[in-house]
Amino acid sequence: MSPVNPVNSVDPSNPGNPVGPAHQVGSASPDGVTAPVSSSAPGTARPRVALSTVVLECSDADELAAFYVRLLGWEVERQEPDWVKLRAPGRGDGSGGTGIALQSDDTYVPPVWPGVPGAQQMMAHLDFEVADLAAATAYAVASGAALATHQAATDTRVLFDPAGHPFCLWTKEGTGTGSDADTNRETGR
């Protein structure tokens, strides 16, 4: 049986209405017209939906959790075999803030960054805003991160966590080094 990809599937309740990016609100339709973005599905009220956790796959959840505890000063909120959930201190009461969970996967393959055709691609990365880019970069490396060889911007540092996930440390416009205004336009920050 081949893996199911919901982005390229068909809505079983309406086979004439494929599900996927080309048919979602805010995306261009086949005739090139872009539908307006809506805060709820047509004819329905949007229920409460909140992003609670970003989950990173890795070969050893405990090892990667220890790295992020050192880097961020976060706390272990919940731990199970092959799964650890971290949360910023004081955020375990459901008051908000997105946590990070680490999930062990025996088939995990670290992504390659920058991307290379045919290699495992990065699906997402984490951005951490910092006040002092040089100090935060040095601290991240001392905590177990590796600095990426390729750096595309002067106000951002790309690093890899111990499982090989790229993440960025970045400063707000005007607080980094070099031409921040140009760099921020280049990176979208």
Side-chain angles (χ1 to χ4, degrees):
M1 181 175 172
S2 63
V4 175
N5 181 344
V7 173
N8 297 319
S9 64
V10 173
D11 179 352
S13 66
N14 183 1
N17 183 17
V19 177
H23 304 290
Q24 293 175 346
V25 174
S27 299
S29 62
D31 62 3
V33 177
T34 301
V37 175
S38 173
S39 62
S40 64
T44 62
R46 186 180 65 78
R48 182 185 175 281
V49 178
L51 178 63
S52 63
T53 308
V54 173
V55 181
L56 299 176
E57 303 289 323
C58 58
S59 57
D60 186 331
D62 293 321
E63 177 184 306
L64 194 55
F67 165 76
Y68 280 108
V69 165
R70 284 189 306 273
L71 180 68
L72 303 173
W74 284 17
E75 301 167 346
V76 173
E77 181 179 272
R78 194 164 137 203
Q79 189 165 11
E80 299 174 8
D82 299 325
W83 193 80
V84 182
K85 183 177 180 182
L86 306 177
R87 178 91 48 202
R91 295 295 188 128
D93 61 359
S95 65
T98 302
I100 299 174
L102 303 309
Q103 181 171 323
S104 296
D105 180 347
D106 293 339
T107 64
Y108 172 74
V109 176
V112 174
W113 188 87
V116 175
Q120 176 68 35
Q121 298 296 302
M122 174 180 63
M123 301 281 294
H125 72 274
L126 303 175
D127 279 355
F128 299 105
E129 181 182 344
V130 299
D132 183 326
L133 188 57
T137 300
Y139 183 79
V141 170
S143 295
L147 188 64
T149 303
H150 177 72
Q151 299 291 326
T154 59
D155 68 339
T156 303
R157 289 296 169 270
V158 179
L159 297 103
F160 298 101
D161 69 20
H165 300 105
F167 69 92
C168 294
L169 302 177
W170 67 281
T171 59
K172 286 186 177 180
E173 187 173 2
T175 60
T177 58
S179 178
D180 290 321
D182 293 339
T183 302
N184 289 333
R185 278 193 292 275
E186 196 178 293
T187 61
R189 286 195 198 90

